[in-house]
Amino acid sequence: MIIGIAGPIGLNMLEYDFGDATLPDRNVFPLPTHLVNSLLRRGHKVIVYTNSGSIDEPFVLEHDQLTVCVAPTRPKPGRAFFDIEIEGLKKLMQQYPADVVHAFWTYEYALASLKSGLPTIVGIHDVASRILFTQFDIFRVVRWYMNCQAIRQSKYLAANSAYTFHQLSKRTQAKTRIINNFFSKEIEQAAQVPTVKQNHIVSVTMGFTKRKGIPLALHAFSKLRKQFPTLEYHLVGAEMEPGGEAQQYARKNGLDDGIRYHGILPYDQLLKIVAEAKVFLHPSVEESFGMAPLEAMVLGTAVVGGQKSGFIPYLLDHGNVGLLCDIYSSESMARAVRRLLVDETLMMEMTKRAQEFAFANFSEEVIVQQHLDFIKHVYEHQLQLLNQNGEVKAEEIGALEA
């Protein structure tokens, strides 16, 4: 069986020897990349479908175990509902078909996979209606519309958490499995490296918006500095770079003291900053899962998150493996972080329980097998349908299974 993975794949993060081939640049989201690497380690044949703004024509690289298919993308593709991107991905899928495609997110990759006619699992990794409600703009309207189309057309859906699942209609839930996100082998290996905690707390987020909660987190840190005058707050992610929106806001409001702005960092540098932090503060209003706090848990950094922030209370085992607070209150955030900073015993207990909870519930070994079980289910179901319709002979089914 050949497995297709469609999504924002980090091509240069793939654990595969491409020889001297130069791969197109693209924006990276680690999760689907880690899934591809995990499948390759297990010996599966994989086709990657992604896109890049650095090419003008489709790019294909075929190897024995891994084929990479990259379609072009334009600047600001949302203005035309990603129509060219969807069409380009669809054509590559039809030219280089997989037996089952797992498409990440309910947007362009999902719609391209569904239009290709290939058996498709669509992964729901955010709640588009919630995002639109908290971050209303034209782009989010476009994404919400695409999400609705993808969910309506899908036969097989995978929700990345129980929280995401329960946001769906009963009709949609009937065709959806819950398969949590997972942390990668790279995180597991990084957690085994001895680390000395530094005098800082950290937040990792993609965007300086009210939904991500950084504005109030800056006010919370200002309160903490009064008691801990040498404490630093490290900000990592989009719009967190020096001179970026976060720093502009902090300077305007007199909150800049003690803050280090890193912006987007290479993955290994990001992990180092998180591992060395005393506390990981996650002030997001809503998370369908919460990869950043999960990685902090594995790395042995105590986590503070929102008590009503989507899946975060479940990820933190309702306060047993991390502290929950009111992220709409800078004082509540500061109080939770302060509690960990002044009580080293509590911090150590929290980090130990968090690691155990993460390994038991969200490890690659646990979750990737669930993906494979679902992929196999879809594959076998499609074979049954084809056989019932008389569209394939028995020997052809055997060839497909091989």
Side-chain angles (χ1 to χ4, degrees):
M1 179 173 60
I2 301 175
I3 301 171
I5 304 295
I9 309 295
L11 299 179
N12 292 318
M13 293 173 61
L14 293 175
E15 296 173 2
Y16 198 81
D17 184 6
F18 293 102
D20 297 329
T22 301
L23 300 171
D25 292 330
R26 64 145 295 106
N27 293 328
V28 174
F29 188 82
L31 184 63
T33 311
H34 293 321
L35 179 57
V36 173
N37 286 334
S38 182
L39 294 172
L40 293 174
R41 284 195 292 269
R42 286 164 171 76
H44 295 281
K45 290 187 176 182
V46 180
I47 302 178
V48 165
Y49 308 104
T50 190
N51 55 22
S52 171
S54 67
I55 58 175
D56 297 320
E57 299 293 333
F59 173 93
V60 178
L61 188 62
E62 293 186 85
H63 280 245
D64 291 338
Q65 191 184 357
L66 176 64
T67 296
V68 174
C69 299
V70 188
T73 187
R74 305 158 298 170
K76 299 182 179 180
R79 291 179 176 179
F81 288 81
F82 292 80
D83 54 353
I84 292 178
E85 288 71 23
I86 292 170
E87 184 65 20
L89 287 164
K90 182 197 78 172
K91 287 181 179 179
L92 285 173
M93 291 173 183
Q94 292 174 335
Q95 292 168 6
Y96 301 89
D99 293 313
V100 179
V101 178
H102 191 314
F104 275 72
W105 278 268
T106 54
Y107 306 113
E108 65 269 28
Y109 297 105
L111 291 173
S113 302
L114 293 166
K115 288 178 180 293
S116 74
L118 300 176
T120 296
I121 297 169
V122 171
I124 310 175
H125 289 266
D126 58 28
V127 183
S129 58
R130 292 276 182 173
I131 296 174
L132 179 63
F133 179 76
T134 58
Q135 192 175 332
F136 188 87
D137 55 45
I138 295 301
F139 179 75
R140 293 300 171 184
V141 171
V142 169
R143 300 299 263 179
W144 170 79
Y145 175 78
M146 295 170 71
N147 166 82
C148 293
Q149 294 297 310
I151 287 180
R152 181 180 62 82
Q153 296 173 24
S154 297
K155 293 181 181 179
Y156 311 101
L157 293 162
N160 70 340
S161 69
Y163 169 77
T164 302
F165 179 83
H166 290 301
Q167 306 305 305
L168 305 174
S169 68
K170 295 296 183 183
R171 182 176 181 180
T172 302
Q173 287 179 358
K175 56 182 180 179
T176 304
R177 286 193 186 187
I178 299 173
I179 303 179
N180 291 314
N181 291 352
F182 65 92
F183 62 87
S184 68
K185 288 289 186 182
E186 290 84 349
I187 301 293
E188 188 173 337
Q189 292 166 359
Q192 296 171 1
V193 177
T195 301
V196 177
K197 292 295 182 181
Q198 305 299 313
N199 192 31
H200 70 261
I201 66 172
V202 65
S203 291
V204 179
T205 185
M206 295 304 289
F208 185 76
T209 63
K210 289 183 179 179
R211 181 172 179 270
K212 294 299 183 181
I214 296 299
L216 270 180
L218 291 171
H219 287 275
F221 179 69
S222 179
K223 298 177 187 297
L224 287 167
R225 283 277 289 190
K226 295 176 181 178
Q227 184 174 353
F228 308 98
T230 62
L231 183 69
E232 292 184 344
Y233 186 16
H234 290 225
L235 295 177
V236 182
E239 300 174 353
M240 306 297 138
E241 66 278 356
E245 292 193 34
Q247 186 169 29
Q248 292 176 36
Y249 178 90
R251 285 177 173 173
K252 181 180 178 180
N253 292 274
L255 306 171
D256 201 33
D257 192 28
I259 300 176
R260 297 278 300 277
Y261 304 92
H262 296 278
I264 297 175
L265 291 175
Y267 199 50
D268 57 342
Q269 292 182 31
L270 181 153
L271 298 183
K272 185 175 186 295
I273 289 175
V274 173
E276 291 178 346
K278 291 184 175 180
V279 178
F280 184 97
L281 174 59
H282 194 66
S284 178
V285 171
E286 188 260 358
E287 289 284 358
S288 63
F289 186 84
M291 282 302 301
L294 172 61
E295 292 176 348
M297 292 162 63
V298 177
L299 292 169
T301 299
V303 176
V304 171
Q307 60 194 10
K308 296 182 179 179
S309 299
F311 190 64
I312 296 300
Y314 301 88
L315 185 64
L316 298 182
D317 195 25
H318 305 282
N320 291 319
V321 302
L323 294 187
L324 297 171
C325 66
D326 178 5
I327 49 79
Y328 290 100
S329 165
S330 61
E331 179 55 44
S332 179
M333 277 193 279
R335 186 165 53 247
V337 174
R338 186 184 298 115
R339 184 180 170 194
L340 290 167
L341 293 177
V342 301
D343 191 339
E344 187 173 344
T345 300
L346 174 64
M347 184 185 295
M348 293 178 64
E349 289 176 352
M350 281 287 183
T351 56
K352 182 177 183 296
R353 291 201 298 263
Q355 280 188 325
E356 293 172 350
F357 185 74
F359 274 86
N361 294 279
F362 307 111
S363 71
E364 181 177 308
E365 295 300 326
V366 171
I367 303 301
V368 172
Q369 187 57 51
Q370 295 177 22
H371 281 290
L372 286 168
D373 290 344
F374 196 14
I375 290 168
K376 182 179 179 182
H377 165 76
V378 171
Y379 177 66
E380 292 178 345
H381 187 223
Q382 290 298 308
L383 287 177
Q384 291 173 4
L385 293 176
L386 289 172
N387 194 30
Q388 289 170 6
N389 293 333
E391 295 182 16
V392 292
K393 299 177 182 179
E395 60 269 22
E396 293 174 323
I397 294 176
L400 282 172
E401 289 177 334

